[in-house]
Amino acid sequence: PAQKAALVKLVRGSVVGNPTTLAIGDGGNDASMIQEAHVGVGILGVEGRQAANAADFTIGQFRFLQSLLFVHGRWNLRRISIVIGYSFYKNFLLVLPLAFYSYFNGFSGTPLYESYLLATFNLAFTSLPILILGIFDIDVSAKMALLVPSLYQLGINRRYFNSWTLIGWIARGVLHSVLLFLTMYTVTLGWPSGP
């Protein structure tokens, strides 16, 4: 058992390129190896539940590993990257109008939003879209993800989440907050005319 964990540790620390390691095992002697890897997968088997308890993910048979990686892992990585970007977008959209409004009210601390509007905003724009996305968002079918393994490379090459995608989400949040504030300011008070 110690040799298996040492081998995973050696790969994590010595191989050029800083690879992500995955260890898979089905018995108690694999538990230390599973815990040493970045991602641990335990197989429920005859040897008990020790490997499954030590693992990040548990599967019933080894043949389910392909589906776990190429289908569910890919879908999860894509969904998580959207959730992170959306969280930044939503927070910029919520907070920046407050900053703009504080300038126009002389930094007096007067709230822009009523408390029930904040609660509704957080429910309508935080919980529900992400819940719907998590349930229904599938860019390709499971069968197609298994037939075209190169789709998995998009995650490895950081196409779903990188600095530029995050900057894009933040830029959209800033742009939409400016447009929202200017629209509401114009509707409620009229466009400010010059002196």
Side-chain angles (χ1 to χ4, degrees):
Q3 291 175 334
K4 293 177 179 181
L7 181 62
V8 172
K9 190 173 188 175
L10 178 71
V11 170
R12 283 183 71 168
S14 302
V15 175
V16 178
N18 197 20
T20 301
T21 57
L22 181 140
I24 184 166
D26 64 348
N29 60 344
D30 297 324
S32 59
M33 171 187 66
I34 288 171
Q35 289 177 334
E36 185 65 40
H38 289 102
V39 180
V41 178
I43 299 176
L44 289 174
V46 213
E47 297 186 38
R49 297 190 48 90
Q50 290 149 331
N53 291 338
D56 300 312
F57 301 98
T58 303
I59 54 178
Q61 297 175 2
F62 188 78
R63 66 185 175 99
F64 298 141
L65 182 63
Q66 183 181 22
S67 177
L68 177 69
L69 291 175
F70 291 113
V71 179
H72 301 288
R74 190 182 156 282
W75 284 347
N76 188 45
L77 177 64
R78 186 172 172 277
R79 290 172 182 163
I80 288 294
S81 65
I82 292 171
V83 167
I84 292 169
Y86 185 80
S87 297
F88 276 93
Y89 168 80
K90 189 261 321 171
N91 286 319
F92 272 83
L93 192 61
L94 177 67
V95 172
L96 282 182
L98 291 170
F100 302 146
Y101 182 70
S102 66
Y103 172 77
F104 286 101
N105 70 13
F107 300 100
S108 67
T110 307
L112 175 61
Y113 309 121
E114 293 291 334
S115 59
Y116 68 89
L117 288 175
L118 278 175
T120 305
F121 180 86
N122 277 327
L123 174 68
F125 289 105
T126 304
S127 305
L128 295 179
I130 295 305
L131 183 67
I132 291 169
L133 176 85
I135 294 172
F136 296 112
D137 182 56
I138 296 175
D139 60 337
V140 295
S141 67
K143 185 176 181 180
M144 186 60 68
L146 289 173
L147 289 174
V148 186
S150 60
L151 291 172
Y152 190 72
Q153 285 295 116
L154 297 173
I156 294 172
N157 295 334
R158 298 178 189 245
R159 290 303 231 15
Y160 297 126
F161 190 74
N162 57 43
S163 304
W164 291 109
T165 57
L166 186 59
I167 289 170
W169 278 102
I170 290 171
R172 279 190 292 275
V174 170
L175 175 67
H176 290 167
S177 68
V178 168
L179 291 174
L180 178 70
F181 182 77
L182 289 178
T183 302
M184 291 299 107
Y185 186 82
T186 305
V187 166
T188 57
L189 299 174
W191 189 257
S193 56

